Amino acid sequence: MSEILIVYYSRHGATAQLARHVARGVEEVEGIRARLRQVPPVAPVTETAAPPEPEEGAPYATREDLRECAGLILGSPTRFGNMAAPLKYFLDGTSAEWASGSLVGKPAAAFTSTGTQHGGQESTLLSMQLPLLHHGMLIVGLPFTERGLSATREGGTPYGASHVAGSDGARPISETERELARALGRRVADIARRLGANP
């Protein structure tokens, strides 16, 4: 069975929750499974190594996960309108995949969470798409045929799924945000299936 790789960083849990909704959408497409992976935090002291497995949540992403996927969906909280450093650090280590072209022609998308409505969701989603374009991936967004995109007063953009977690991070994911996250997962999985879903 072909798999869509969902790689995310989540410090307080909102992005991890959104990742699970994206994964549910992926698995609504026949013949496609979601593979959830997270990236470890970046240590300010470079000699400190991350443990081989996280204490909780999804396993850490590996380069093998990238080579085996039929599509890739990235998730990150917003840091000043950009992806968080741990996800950027992970992507910066994918030069071998870039050189070999192992991601070329595969569908890709992004999702994010912010503390406020205008906390930089769209610029964060676009920042995550830049390395995907360098890898030759096919960027997938959310079309306005998804009715929730026009109705949302929370998260959700044409550039990818999003969630407004509130300044304290405690706001639950709304029904519209869940629907749009599932729709994004479905779209990437459906496109991967149409393309033959070969890793």
Side-chain angles (χ1 to χ4, degrees), residues 125-192:
L125 293 167
L126 291 170
S127 78
M128 286 190 280
Q129 292 172 8
L130 294 175
L132 301 175
L133 287 166
H134 278 263
H135 275 287
M137 301 192 83
L138 309 174
I139 303 299
V140 176
L142 286 168
F144 277 90
T145 51
E146 294 294 337
R147 288 185 290 189
L149 208 54
S150 296
T152 184
R153 296 289 180 257
E154 298 108 3
T157 81
Y159 309 107
S162 61
H163 166 56
V164 179
S167 58
D168 60 357
R171 182 180 294 154
I173 296 175
S174 73
E175 181 56 36
T176 302
E177 290 172 331
R178 285 193 297 268
E179 287 173 6
L180 292 171
R182 287 194 309 267
L184 185 67
R186 264 193 319 272
R187 281 179 54 75
V188 172
D190 182 59
I191 291 169

Side-chain angles (χ1 to χ4, degrees), residues 6-11 14-16 18-19 37 39 73-89 91 109-115 120-121 123-125 127-128 161-163:
I6 301 168
V7 177
Y8 67 89
Y9 173 70
S10 187
R11 184 166 181 192
T15 307
L18 200 57
R37 296 291 186 264
V39 296
I73 307 175
L74 298 176
S76 172
T78 294
R79 296 291 184 264
F80 301 105
N82 205 332
M83 73 180 100
L87 186 63
K88 177 73 165 62
Y89 182 79
L91 291 170
F111 61 96
T112 190
S113 61
T114 57
Q121 290 185 1
S123 61
T124 299
L125 293 167
S127 78
M128 286 190 280
S162 61
H163 166 56

